[in-house]
Amino acid sequence: MLDNCRPEFAPGTKRVAALLPATVVALTLGGCASGALQGEPHQEDPWEGFNRKVFAFNDVLDRYALRPVAKGYRTVTPEPVEDSVGNFFANLGELRTVLNSLLQGDVENASRSTSRLMINTTAGVGGLFDVATRMDIRRQEEDFGQTLAVWGWEDSRYLVLPLFGPSTLRDATGLPANIAAYPVTYVEDDAARLSLGALNLIDQRANLLDQEELIQGDRYRFVRDAYLQNRTFEINDGKLGEDPFAADDFDVDDAAFGDDGSAD
């Protein structure tokens, strides 16, 4: 039954390769008509029944519309051009990062993102080339969902949005502000604005075609768990917590080892 599942790209989420490649897929893919038993409810997913229905709805859209178009785009688009398209839209997203970094009191990242925006817009020919990364000025994306978490909304229920895919109640609340902070929103020509939005979506979906096979088991749970873990990673700016083995006061029970130093 799971063999009939095909993931569907959720346009409202960001591409963050901070954890494992599978997490990147899970973050941006949604939709699977899985009939697996739901089992025990997840603490952060009390609306699992509703979410699974939306998940399946998103899958239909991807299976018959977005995925075929993305495959065609991948076939006809040279890789350097595809990279430049991704760079262009990522550069537009730097403005949102600057705003949210300031709202979070992270002046350092706001300054870094401003530098990236200026360098890639000028030396990178309108953002087509990621010159800033080559200069070791790395991207650390921030959005309004992360800002709300920094402001105190730490725990939030998982929510699958129609068309937008995996989210939380907190991230969905920040979604309108994310859209308002994206420059494409203010393109006055309707045809140009819709064309840019469609190109961005298709390009992001095409980037995931080679990674779909990484999703295993109950697709819904895989996507949910990876999304929640990755959002925690992003909110904490990549800090996974203290490593007890790296602490100076880490105690080792000598009784657990033999006289020769080997474990019993």
Side-chain angles (χ1 to χ4, degrees):
M1 183 176 298
L2 291 176
D3 292 338
N4 295 325
C5 297
R6 288 187 176 84
E8 184 260 332
F9 174 74
T13 55
K14 299 297 294 178
R15 304 184 304 278
V16 180
L19 297 179
L20 301 174
T23 302
V24 181
V25 180
L27 181 94
T28 49
L29 294 179
C32 169
S34 172
L37 295 177
Q38 297 185 16
E40 294 297 326
H42 191 283
Q43 181 179 358
E44 296 178 282
D45 188 13
W47 302 327
E48 182 171 347
F50 168 81
N51 286 334
R52 282 183 179 270
K53 290 177 177 138
V54 179
F55 205 62
F57 167 78
N58 288 342
D59 175 62
V60 174
L61 297 180
D62 179 72
R63 186 184 308 174
Y64 296 107
L66 186 55
R67 189 173 187 273
V69 173
K71 291 181 69 174
Y73 171 81
R74 167 65 64 84
T75 300
V76 302
T77 306
E79 185 174 352
V81 175
E82 191 174 344
D83 290 341
S84 292
V85 171
N87 290 336
F88 172 78
F89 288 111
N91 188 56
L92 294 180
E94 294 290 356
L95 177 60
R96 179 165 52 207
T97 292
V98 172
L99 293 175
N100 281 282
S101 294
L102 291 174
L103 290 172
Q104 296 171 24
D106 190 348
V107 178
E108 180 180 354
N109 193 54
S111 176
R112 181 166 54 246
S113 296
T114 300
S115 298
R116 287 185 53 84
L117 179 61
M118 295 177 62
I119 292 171
N120 287 339
T121 300
T122 54
V125 192
L128 295 177
F129 303 97
D130 190 357
V131 179
T133 296
R134 298 177 185 176
M135 298 172 62
D136 202 28
I137 305 176
R138 303 291 176 176
R139 176 184 295 113
Q140 179 179 307
E141 298 180 71
E142 300 290 341
D143 57 48
F144 283 94
Q146 292 169 258
T147 296
L148 291 174
V150 172
W151 286 357
W153 192 347
E154 297 181 0
D155 299 321
S156 183
R157 296 184 175 191
Y158 183 67
L159 177 65
V160 181
L161 299 174
L163 305 180
F164 288 90
S167 185
T168 63
L169 186 58
R170 178 194 58 227
D171 294 340
T173 301
L175 185 58
N178 286 334
I179 295 174
Y182 198 60
V184 174
T185 304
Y186 302 99
V187 176
E188 296 184 358
D189 184 86
D190 292 341
R193 184 175 63 255
L194 293 174
S195 297
L196 286 171
L199 178 60
N200 186 20
L201 173 60
I202 293 169
D203 177 72
Q204 293 184 55
R205 182 63 179 89
N207 290 336
L208 299 166
L209 291 173
D210 297 334
Q211 305 178 48
E212 294 176 359
E213 62 185 26
L214 296 175
I215 299 180
Q216 302 177 11
D218 184 342
R219 311 292 183 91
Y220 172 84
R221 291 186 174 183
F222 184 97
V223 172
R224 177 195 65 195
D225 294 345
Y227 178 83
L228 292 174
Q229 291 171 15
N230 196 77
R231 283 303 280 173
T232 300
F233 186 90
E234 292 176 331
I235 291 167
N236 294 327
D237 293 333
K239 299 180 180 66
L240 296 177
E242 297 183 0
D243 182 356
F245 291 96
D248 294 335
D249 57 351
F250 179 75
D251 295 326
V252 178
D253 186 359
D254 293 336
F257 297 88
D259 294 337
D260 59 355
S262 61
D264 290 340

